[in-house]
């Protein structure tokens, strides 16, 4: 099996939950647990000092404005918006701790040291983009609520998505719930969520990044991704959808009206509707040409929809609650940065803050701008547009002038990141979203019925890398008869049974046998070649699967391995009293070797129980969970040395069932 080449240093990110709510299971199970698992593995593999696992609360954006406004109006919150965000942040921190999510830093884009660093970095980012020639000051249309006498941002406007083929009924000012981006004036049937009135369109000046200029660059990135077996197809396929030429779809019955206006529109290509399709297509060379044509059609009252394509990426807005934008040209003061762009460089801010808090000698560039380092960003499928389209273009624009020359600034050498995108975690058959019609259980509510180990193992086994998967915890089953029927199995406990029964039984059998026959002293004799081959082959396959971030395959592999180890024990434990001391020494040596390997490989998945095993084997954590030591330990320790394990009380559990499961 080929050797895996790991980077010397790594950053792992887990997105940024909005500061308007506590965490539901989709946040934790879909992103944080997979990211934590991978980050823990990297710490064990390349050393904890070389890994930064960063995230934080997204403190700004219209969801927070709206959540705060609604609670204030309902009399359910009496503090400032800063206090509102801080409260939700504190709740998020508490939840992540309950699930054993171990971050290098978790503050926020406006909280603590991270907030201070992020404001400074945001200034430098916009100044670099402006100096490099990638920003345009555009007078654009923005929604205005005449009754509330205020401009509306993001989720303060709700309508239907204008992108052809999209069925989202939750579309906001310039993006829908399925991740499509569009011009605000294209939103269908807009309504103000503040007052319920139909908003007006008023002109405002903002800074936009010239994303359409990066079509060829992004296509080259997609081509590279498709050659890399470690990049999930959902990433390259979703990015490619946005690289299509600018098009407009017009209903077939409007063909005669279109022909009358054809000469008034910029040069374009007409394509008749194929098969049973109800619309024909007109394709343009540039986004500006498409927008001119859109105005011509709109003025004549012709209904149309647009297709996915690259549009100028808005960087600023006029919301009061946001990261402050620098006055780049002396004429654009009092702007704030739209929360999505600044969240794309927030992980760099968090890495800077983490290094400072850790008193590290390493610089942020040692992680983000070094050939020896890799940044792994765990995201949900909905966010591929931002991380897979906007971010790569922005990262290139930070460090390159419009004419192609390299800019001499702090961003020189900034590298592209590796995206690890998961499909949706479904609640039953519905997408898990706290803003959806079906409210999923909160992450905290689940812990009233399951242990964090059981949930971590189950979520990692779901196979979200391949498709959207249903999460169906039995205590939340809508059908009361099924919920209360003891004959109906709980699917969430499938992987938990591996922990609480098989792994737990194997681990304590090793300790209890050493305790009974050897007074807790184990003589480590050479491991059988057959056992060593199984362990090493499993470990090498495990590394390959981790390199591909196929965490569901890792779970399948560990299920097979732990059951193999337990069967080996079961097949031989009954022979102990009928054989000599050499037999027992060999059995204990083989078994503790397999137990050590199992704990090492399961450590990223269920850390606390595996750390208990290390503690009971009297081995320091940093020494125990170290892959370099592991690959040589059978030769260095299993040569007649004796080591003493801790004495366990009766019925000791390394992995426990939840109290509710004993009823």
């Amino acid at each position: 099996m080929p050797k895996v080449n790991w980077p010397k240093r790594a950053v792992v990110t887990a997105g940024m939950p909005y500061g308007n709510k506590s965490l539901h299971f989709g946040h934790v199970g879909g992103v944080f647990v997979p990211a934590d698992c991978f980050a823990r593995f990297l710490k064990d593999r390349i050393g904890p000092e070389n890994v930064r696992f960063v995230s934080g609360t997204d403190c700004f954006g219209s969801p927070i404005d709206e959540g705060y406004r609604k609670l204030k109006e309902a009399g359910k919150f009496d503090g400032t918006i800063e206090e509102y965000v801080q409260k939700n942040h504190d709740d998020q921190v508490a939840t992540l701790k309950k699930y054993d999510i171990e971050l290098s830093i978790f503050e926020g884009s406006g909280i603590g040291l991270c907030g201070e660093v992020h404001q400074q970095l945001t200034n430098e980012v916009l100044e670099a983009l402006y100096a490099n020639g990638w920003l345009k000051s555009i007078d654009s249309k923005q929604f205005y609520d005449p009754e509330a006498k205020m401009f509306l941002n993001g989720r303060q406007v709700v309508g239907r998505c204008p992108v052809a083929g999209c069925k989202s009924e939750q579309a906001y000012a310039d993006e829908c719930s399925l991740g499509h981006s569009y011009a605000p004036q294209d939103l269908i049937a807009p309504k103000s969520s503040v007052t319920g009135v139909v908003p007006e369109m008023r002109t405002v000046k903002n800074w936009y990044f010239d994303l359409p200029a990066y079509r060829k660059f992004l296509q080259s990135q997609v081509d590279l991704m498709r050659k890399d077996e470690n990049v999930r197809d959902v990433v390259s396929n979703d990015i490619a959808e946005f690289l299509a030429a600018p098009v407009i779809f017009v209903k077939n019955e409007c063909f005669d009206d279109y022909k009358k206006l054809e000469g008034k529109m910029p040069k374009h290509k007409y394509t008749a509707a194929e098969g049973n399709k109800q619309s024909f297509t007109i394709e343009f060379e540039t986004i500006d040409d498409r927008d001119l044509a859109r105005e011509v059609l709109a003025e004549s009252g012709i209904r149309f929809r647009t297709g996915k394509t690259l549009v100028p990426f808005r960087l600023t807005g006029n919301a009061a609650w946001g990261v402050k934008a620098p006055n780049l040209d002396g004429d654009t003061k009092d702007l704030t940065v739209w929360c999505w762009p600044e969240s794309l460089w927030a992980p760099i801010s968090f890495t800077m803050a983490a290094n400072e808090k850790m008193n590290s000698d390493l610089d942020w560039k040692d992680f983000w701008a070094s050939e020896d380092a890799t940044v792994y960003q765990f995201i949900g499928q909905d966010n591929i547009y931002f991380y897979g389209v906007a971010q790569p273009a922005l990262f290139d624009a930070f460090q390159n002038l419009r004419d192609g020359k390299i800019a001499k600034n702090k961003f020189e050498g900034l590298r592209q990141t590796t995206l690890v995108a998961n499909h949706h975690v479904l609640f039953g058959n519905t997408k898990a979203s706290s803003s959806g019609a079906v409210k999923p259980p909160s992450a905290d509510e689940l812990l009233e019925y399951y242990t964090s180990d059981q949930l971590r193992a189950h979520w990692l086994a779901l196979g979200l890398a391949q498709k959207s998967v249903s999460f169906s915890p039995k205590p939340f089953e809508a059908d009361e008869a099924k919920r209360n029927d003891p004959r109906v199995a709980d699917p969430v406990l499938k992987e938990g049974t591996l922990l609480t029964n098989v792994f737990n039984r194997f681990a304590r059998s090793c300790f209890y046998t050493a305790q009974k026959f050897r007074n807790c002293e184990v003589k480590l004799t050479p491991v059988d070649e057959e056992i060593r081959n199984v362990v090493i082959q499993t470990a090498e396959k495990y590394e390959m699967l981790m390199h591909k971030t196929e965490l569901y395959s890792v779970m399948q592999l560990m299920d097979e391995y732990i059951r193999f180890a337990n069967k080996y024990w079961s097949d031989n434990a009954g022979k102990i009293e009928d054989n000599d001391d050499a037999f027992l020494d060999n059995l204990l040596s083989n078994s503790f070797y397999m137990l050590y390997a199992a704990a090492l490989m399961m450590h990223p998945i269920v850390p606390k129980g595996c750390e208990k095993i290390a503690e009971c084997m009297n081995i320091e954590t940093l020494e125990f969970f170290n892959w370099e030591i592991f690959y040589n330990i059978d030769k260095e320790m299993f040569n007649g040395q004796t080591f003493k394990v801790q004495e366990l009380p009766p019925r000791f559990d390394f992995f426990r069932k939840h109290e509710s499961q004993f009823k």
Side-chain angles (χ1 to χ4, degrees):
M1 190 172 292
K3 181 176 174 12
V4 176
N5 292 316
W6 295 104
K8 290 184 178 179
R9 292 172 300 284
V11 173
V12 178
T13 77
M16 296 173 65
Y18 276 127
N20 65 330
K21 64 187 74 174
S22 56
L23 301 177
H24 66 68
F25 76 82
H27 292 127
V28 179
V31 178
F32 274 102
V33 166
D36 182 71
C37 174
F38 190 69
R40 284 180 180 275
F41 165 73
L42 287 176
K43 290 175 185 178
D44 294 345
R45 191 66 188 87
I46 65 176
E49 70 281 3
N50 296 316
V51 179
R52 301 289 181 269
F53 178 25
V54 300
S55 181
T57 301
D58 196 341
C59 297
F60 306 106
S62 57
I64 295 167
D65 277 324
E66 270 298 274
Y68 175 67
R69 180 187 67 81
K70 290 177 179 178
L71 286 181
K72 286 282 285 188
E73 289 181 356
K76 296 180 179 180
F77 192 82
D78 195 36
T80 64
I81 192 168
E82 290 89 348
E83 291 169 334
Y84 170 69
V85 171
Q86 184 67 54
K87 176 187 178 300
N88 289 318
H89 168 76
D90 293 342
D91 289 344
Q92 292 172 3
V93 170
T95 299
L96 293 174
K97 185 176 181 181
K98 293 173 187 175
Y99 279 92
D100 300 320
I101 308 296
E102 188 178 68
L103 289 132
S104 303
I105 199 164
F106 186 85
E107 291 185 343
S109 51
I111 293 174
L113 177 61
C114 284
E116 297 173 14
V117 173
H118 188 53
Q119 178 65 71
Q120 178 60 36
L121 182 66
T122 298
N123 292 342
E124 294 170 336
V125 162
L126 266 66
E127 288 163 358
L129 291 172
Y130 181 72
N132 293 356
W134 293 107
L135 296 190
K136 292 181 180 180
S137 175
I138 299 178
D139 290 333
S140 59
K141 301 290 186 180
Q142 186 168 331
F143 290 108
Y144 182 84
D145 187 323
E147 187 173 312
K149 293 182 173 54
M150 61 182 287
F151 281 103
L152 303 174
N153 292 286
R155 300 194 181 191
Q156 292 175 327
V157 184
V158 181
R160 299 199 309 275
C161 181
V163 174
C166 181
K167 297 181 180 179
S168 174
E169 296 291 330
Q170 275 191 307
Y172 308 111
D174 47 16
E175 63 165 324
C176 79
S177 60
L178 297 179
H180 300 145
S181 184
Y182 42 80
Q185 55 266 41
D186 288 344
L187 180 64
I188 298 172
K191 183 174 70 173
S192 168
S193 62
V194 178
T195 64
V197 304
V198 176
E200 301 173 358
M201 297 300 296
R202 294 195 179 182
T203 301
V204 294
K205 177 178 285 189
N206 272 300
W207 290 107
Y208 286 75
F209 170 60
D210 190 5
L211 186 57
Y214 267 87
R215 177 172 278 105
K216 288 184 178 179
F217 171 84
L218 291 169
Q219 184 60 60
S220 69
Q221 294 293 302
V222 169
D223 293 342
L224 289 173
M225 290 177 185
R226 285 179 169 160
K227 295 176 183 177
D228 187 346
E229 63 177 9
N230 294 330
V231 177
R232 296 173 181 175
D233 290 342
V234 65
V235 175
S236 54
N237 290 342
D238 277 23
I239 295 172
E241 288 184 4
F242 289 97
L243 305 185
V247 298
I248 293 176
F249 299 96
V250 183
K251 291 285 187 181
N252 293 332
E253 58 262 31
C254 297
F255 178 76
D256 291 340
D257 294 328
Y258 152 72
K259 291 299 290 183
K260 294 175 184 177
L261 300 171
E262 185 177 14
K264 295 182 180 181
M265 292 187 287
K267 178 183 176 182
H268 60 272
K269 175 185 175 183
Y270 162 82
T271 303
E274 297 179 356
N276 296 323
K277 290 186 177 179
Q278 299 178 350
S279 300
F280 60 87
T281 306
I282 46 179
E283 178 182 315
F284 300 86
E285 293 183 0
T286 69
I287 191 67
D288 291 336
D289 286 349
R290 189 207 69 172
D291 289 346
L292 288 172
R294 189 185 61 205
E295 292 177 8
V296 172
L297 294 170
E299 287 173 0
S300 298
I302 297 176
R303 289 184 59 188
F304 61 87
R305 300 192 86 173
T306 53
K308 293 182 184 179
T309 192
L310 298 180
V311 298
F313 190 53
R314 181 167 65 90
L315 297 185
T316 62
N318 55 6
W321 177 242
V323 178
K324 306 303 179 186
N327 188 351
L328 298 173
D329 61 355
D331 192 36
T332 50
K333 61 182 180 179
D334 299 327
L335 295 179
T336 52
V337 183
W338 183 36
C339 65
W340 257 115
E342 48 95 353
S343 71
L344 298 178
W345 56 79
I348 301 177
S349 304
F350 296 167
T351 304
M352 293 175 174
N355 284 340
E356 185 171 337
K357 285 203 164 188
M358 296 166 69
N359 295 315
S360 174
D361 293 331
L362 295 171
D363 183 71
W364 73 272
K365 278 198 164 186
D366 292 320
F367 292 92
W368 290 83
S370 170
E371 292 185 0
D372 293 335
T374 301
V375 177
Y376 303 89
Q377 296 197 275
F378 282 72
I379 62 173
Q381 182 185 5
D382 287 355
N383 297 333
I384 289 176
Y385 171 78
F386 296 103
Y387 288 97
V389 177
Q391 180 185 276
L394 282 167
F395 278 18
D396 185 79
F398 289 172
Q399 53 191 316
N400 289 301
L401 301 175
R402 186 106 192 185
D403 62 9
K405 295 178 182 177
I406 297 176
K408 299 297 180 182
N409 60 32
K410 75 178 295 176
F411 301 105
E412 188 175 352
L414 181 62
R415 292 164 59 83
Q416 296 296 333
T417 66
T418 297
L419 298 184
V420 185
N422 275 342
H423 290 268
H424 304 308
V425 185
L426 305 178
F427 181 46
N429 295 314
T430 306
K431 178 186 170 187
S433 171
S434 55
S435 58
V438 180
K439 303 299 181 187
S442 72
D444 287 350
E445 285 176 311
L446 287 171
L447 293 174
E448 296 174 11
Y449 301 93
Y450 306 99
T451 67
S452 62
D453 282 346
Q454 290 171 331
L455 289 165
R456 284 175 66 105
H458 180 65
W459 284 326
L460 291 170
L462 284 180
L464 297 174
Q466 298 176 305
K467 61 182 180 180
S468 296
V469 182
S470 174
F471 173 64
S472 303
K474 187 179 176 183
F476 297 89
E477 166 65 55
D479 186 328
E480 185 176 357
K482 289 183 180 179
R483 188 169 65 246
N484 297 323
D485 189 342
R487 297 169 298 177
V488 176
D490 187 339
V492 177
L493 294 179
K494 178 178 180 292
E495 295 75 22
T497 300
L498 175 72
L499 299 174
T500 58
N501 290 5
V502 188
F503 195 10
N504 198 55
R505 185 188 308 125
F506 174 58
R508 66 185 185 184
S509 293
C510 292
F511 284 96
Y512 284 149
T513 302
Q515 191 170 310
K516 178 179 179 181
F517 293 100
R518 288 286 188 268
N519 193 29
C520 293
E521 290 188 355
V522 181
K523 184 178 181 182
L524 296 175
T525 58
V527 175
D528 290 355
E529 191 65 22
E530 178 188 357
I531 297 297
R532 185 183 189 279
N533 287 340
V534 170
V535 169
I536 297 302
Q537 288 170 12
T538 301
E540 289 175 345
K541 186 174 182 180
Y542 177 102
E543 281 207 70
M544 291 293 293
L545 294 173
M546 273 293 187
H547 195 251
K548 296 178 181 180
T549 59
E550 289 186 8
L551 304 182
Y552 62 97
S553 296
V554 167
M555 285 300 301
Q556 292 172 356
L557 177 69
M558 293 313 299
D559 185 291
E560 295 170 5
Y561 173 75
I562 291 170
R563 292 184 189 281
F564 168 84
N566 188 62
K567 185 177 186 304
Y568 169 82
W569 178 267
S570 298
D571 289 346
N572 290 279
K575 305 174 186 177
I576 293 175
E577 295 190 10
D578 296 330
N579 286 277
D580 56 17
D581 289 348
F583 176 85
L584 179 57
D585 291 340
N586 177 252
L587 174 61
L588 288 174
S589 294
N590 286 340
S591 298
F592 271 104
Y593 177 58
M594 286 191 288
L595 178 61
Y596 169 47
L600 173 70
M601 289 186 277
M602 289 295 288
H603 183 233
I605 299 163
V606 283
K608 289 297 173 63
C610 294
E611 287 166 10
K612 281 184 188 177
I613 292 173
E615 180 184 348
C616 292
M617 288 177 70
N618 289 318
I619 301 177
E620 290 292 330
T621 299
L622 288 178
E623 182 181 352
F624 191 101
F625 300 107
N626 184 314
W627 280 73
E628 295 301 326
I629 292 176
F630 159 70
Y631 275 123
N632 297 301
I633 198 167
D634 64 305
K635 298 175 183 176
E636 295 180 359
M637 287 190 64
F638 289 75
N639 53 11
Q641 291 189 37
T642 298
F643 83 104
K644 192 174 183 66
V645 299
Q646 290 186 14
E647 182 174 341
L648 303 185
R651 302 189 63 80
F652 180 83
D653 286 320
F654 293 98
F655 303 97
R656 282 186 55 79
K657 293 181 180 180
H658 191 275
E659 287 77 6
S660 66
Q661 295 160 17
F662 289 101
K663 295 177 182 178

